[in-house]
Amino acid sequence: MTSEEIQHTLRRMANPGIAAHSQQFFKTGKGQYGEGDVFLGLRVPDLRKTARSYNGVPLSVCADILASPYHEERLFALILLVNRFQKADPKDQAAIYQLYRDQVRYVNNWDLVDISAPAIVGGYFMDKDPRPLLALAESPDLWERRISIVATWTFIRRNELELTFRISDILLYDKEDLIHKAVGWMLRETGKKDQAALEGFLKPRYPKMPRTMLRYAIEKFEATNRKAYLLGHI
């Protein structure tokens, strides 16, 4: 199975109406975060369903599809890589992670990051020194910074919260709203595991946190406590 054959299948599924909506939703206009991205008009559930027919294709084919100019084809390649990573032995996982890092420039929108970073990046570093993730949080590239924090979701799921807090500290004053949302989201997830630990992180920091980040982080708090944080009465 070649990349061209898979891409032909995906392009036959294209829906111009959905594509037009996606062009707006993913902010593809001049100066926006998704500037220049182009869409076929495919839904994620359809991509996931189609991917089940292509599990096991060579990594070289995934790499070719990941370099596509079409957003959904890049997403499809990432779904294939995630599916493969989750069943792979350590050697194959290392190869998948290396492919991801080598072609990370194509992981260039928030949905592409969010669908791939927890499994591939978080999964790879679960039993390794996480310092490369800390370095990634310092990247000038928006999407690499988002990868660094969203990858920690895998750690959170295993009740390991410290890495999320460390990376959140690095990104605390980031200028990008998409980072504020991602950090707040991951902090909210830590609170589901240990609210006291989350509050221990928030209390010395929340007065200077971006408002969006704070709102996301405390979203699951009891109403009175949430209001106290928003009003600065903690």
Side-chain angles (χ1 to χ4, degrees):
M1 182 62 65
T2 67
S3 59
E4 290 81 5
E5 289 171 319
I6 295 173
Q7 289 171 305
H8 178 69
T9 297
L10 295 175
R11 292 173 194 184
R12 287 176 59 193
M13 298 163 56
N15 184 314
I18 296 174
H21 176 267
S22 296
Q23 295 281 152
Q24 296 181 356
F25 182 77
F26 286 99
K27 308 298 184 186
T28 62
K30 186 173 178 58
Q32 295 181 307
Y33 64 74
E35 180 177 353
D37 207 353
V38 290
F39 290 77
L40 291 170
L42 304 178
R43 302 291 193 191
V44 174
D46 294 328
L47 291 172
R48 289 192 183 279
K49 182 178 179 181
T50 303
R52 291 198 289 269
S53 299
Y54 295 103
N55 286 332
V57 300
L59 290 184
S60 59
V61 171
C62 295
D64 287 344
I65 300 172
L66 186 55
S68 170
Y70 290 107
H71 184 102
E72 295 96 336
E73 290 184 359
R74 300 197 302 280
L75 181 59
F76 186 80
L78 292 169
I79 291 170
L80 291 178
L81 291 172
V82 167
N83 290 349
R84 180 164 175 165
F85 188 96
Q86 292 172 335
K87 298 178 181 179
D89 61 29
K91 182 179 179 180
D92 199 23
Q93 287 183 340
I96 293 166
Y97 171 75
Q98 191 58 55
L99 185 161
Y100 188 89
R101 286 297 296 132
D102 289 345
Q103 297 201 205
V104 73
R105 63 191 179 279
Y106 300 117
V107 187
N108 58 353
N109 215 312
W110 58 264
D111 62 321
L112 304 180
V113 170
D114 296 356
I115 209 166
S116 61
I120 296 175
V121 182
Y124 179 75
F125 280 103
M126 275 304 305
D127 59 351
K128 299 176 180 65
D129 185 338
R131 280 181 290 183
L133 286 179
L134 301 177
L136 206 60
E138 304 274 11
S139 171
D141 183 79
L142 162 63
W143 307 119
E144 292 192 354
R145 299 199 304 278
R146 187 170 175 111
I147 287 169
S148 73
I149 186 64
V150 175
T152 70
W153 199 2
T154 299
F155 289 76
I156 296 167
R157 287 167 174 161
R158 301 187 189 185
N159 295 308
E160 298 182 24
L161 311 182
E162 183 57 33
L163 182 61
T164 302
F165 294 144
R166 291 174 68 186
I167 292 177
S168 295
D169 250 341
I170 295 171
L171 297 173
L172 202 61
Y173 304 117
D174 199 282
K175 296 180 180 180
E176 295 287 349
D177 184 63
L178 284 168
I179 299 299
H180 303 168
K181 291 176 178 176
V183 172
W185 169 26
M186 289 301 106
L187 290 174
R188 182 183 68 210
E189 294 303 312
T190 69
K192 293 178 182 178
K193 297 293 186 180
D194 187 339
Q195 183 166 322
L198 173 56
E199 293 208 56
F201 177 84
L202 290 176
K203 285 179 180 177
R205 298 170 176 84
Y206 85 93
K208 295 183 179 180
M209 288 177 70
R211 201 68 168 175
T212 298
M213 187 186 296
L214 177 61
R215 286 184 179 277
Y216 272 57
I218 64 175
E219 185 178 7
K220 298 299 182 180
F221 284 15
E222 183 271 332
T224 301
N225 195 22
R226 187 169 64 248
K227 184 176 181 179
Y229 273 97
L230 292 174
L231 293 176
H233 293 165
I234 295 297

